[in-house]
Amino acid sequence: MQWVESVLLVLFPPFLTGVLYRPVMALFDLFDVWKGWWIPPLVARRLARAVVPSTADIGGYGHELRAPVNSAPATLREHWCQGVRRSWGIEAWLLLFVFLPAALVATMALTGLYLTLHPSGSEDAEFFRRNTLLSFSFCVGMGSGAVLWVYRSLFLYRRRVGESLPLTSAVDLARLLRRCKEAGSGALPLLELDRHVSRHVNRLGWFAAYGVDRERRRTALSPHIAGVQQALEREVSLALRDGPDAVPRLARLVATLLDRSVQGRWMGLLDEADLPETPAELVTARDGKHDRMVVLAGSVAAVLVVATATAVGLPASAVAPAALTAFIGPAVLWGSERLGTLREHHGAVRSGLGTPAPEPTGNAPQPPAPTA
């Protein structure tokens, strides 16, 4: 049956991606590209000058913003060298082992789409329709596999960024302190400064989640990191309200974070006076807006599938499985429990394919027999 072949071509690539992702990534990790060992320290020190400001500039920025940096220049240079190597290693890993394989799979999906829209001529109508259906199903399946590969890699990327923050924090905070100087002088928009602060806040959250191995230590560290996140967000909010005059207060916090992170004081990145009095949460739950975006993505994918199938004249019985998979797939991968459980999604798929649901088992109560 043609619809069975369509379902197999749609579901097999993402299934194969989910099964092979961990073994393939474990094979790639034998080279430890993401650790940046392949970047010579001398090259990192020389090229880091174009990435981060010099230690003299950092000290000048701090004093101009009333936020002096007390770490020794030699210590800062060493941390910057390590941070640049790890940062470039993670970016190289992301390019070679995430985006490049996903691009290859996406290219194959586009090839299937091209063959669907421009099939080869044939006098046999059944052969023509069958090849068009297989090309269409192959396109949907390979596209889903590419999306799933990138989606799973994002979790691994966050974990590695969080684990590497003790090495990369000096580089990130040095850049952020330079951004504070530019924003204080009016050379950088405050909304751009807010974007850089939010990026470091996210990395702090990933460090609290993945940077510590022991569960007890992670439990003790998370409230402090959450307070640091809230303190940074509060100061950048005040800068957006009061203008560049409020940037020095944010720069003082950034300079303190730079000193404490270089010293390894991860349980005391900020003083108690700088932390908020009310307890803060490190991770927020998914909200309704996230679920709405997931539903919207599934709807758009289903519409594209149906529109492409209609344009090439495929039968509805063969298109329904692909469209249903495109619609429910984002909810299964990214949606919260508000969008339904796996059992409910499975029931929706069975209903869409016309498969009868299994009969309930057990001693279910029977309706009373009719009486005369």
Side-chain angles (χ1 to χ4, degrees), residues 164-322:
S164 304
L165 192 67
L167 296 178
T168 61
S169 61
V171 177
D172 296 337
L173 292 169
R175 292 173 179 172
L176 187 54
L177 192 58
R178 181 170 59 181
R179 299 288 186 267
C180 290
K181 178 181 182 297
E182 295 172 355
S185 62
L188 182 71
L190 292 177
L191 287 176
E192 186 71 13
L193 177 63
D194 176 63
R195 186 177 68 85
H196 290 288
V197 172
S198 298
R199 179 185 179 187
H200 190 70
V201 166
N202 292 334
R203 293 193 170 194
L204 283 173
W206 300 342
F207 168 72
Y210 308 116
V212 182
D213 294 334
R214 296 174 57 187
E215 182 66 27
R216 184 173 60 181
R217 186 67 63 199
R218 186 183 302 114
T219 303
L221 179 65
S222 295
H224 179 70
I225 297 296
V228 173
Q229 290 177 315
Q230 190 171 354
L232 289 173
E233 291 287 355
R234 178 187 60 195
E235 291 300 332
V236 76
S237 299
L238 293 177
L240 290 174
R241 186 193 67 182
D242 300 335
D245 294 338
V247 173
R249 295 197 300 267
L250 174 63
R252 184 182 62 82
L253 292 185
V254 174
T256 304
L257 291 175
L258 177 59
D259 282 332
R260 303 286 176 83
S261 62
V262 168
Q263 298 169 12
R265 299 173 57 183
W266 295 101
M267 291 289 291
L269 291 175
L270 292 178
D271 297 328
E272 292 295 332
D274 296 324
L275 296 176
E277 297 180 358
T278 58
E281 295 183 359
L282 182 65
V283 180
T284 58
R286 293 178 174 178
D287 54 5
K289 183 178 180 181
H290 175 87
D291 288 338
R292 287 195 295 269
M293 295 301 295
V294 168
V295 174
L296 178 61
S299 302
V300 171
V303 169
L304 292 177
V305 168
V306 174
T308 305
T310 304
V312 298
L314 295 178
S317 59
V319 178

Side-chain angles (χ1 to χ4, degrees), residues 68-88:
V69 178
N70 299 318
S71 298
T75 305
L76 285 176
R77 281 195 297 269
E78 183 62 27
H79 277 76
W80 289 350
C81 179
Q82 296 176 358
V84 168
R85 296 178 72 186
R86 181 58 62 89
S87 297
W88 290 353

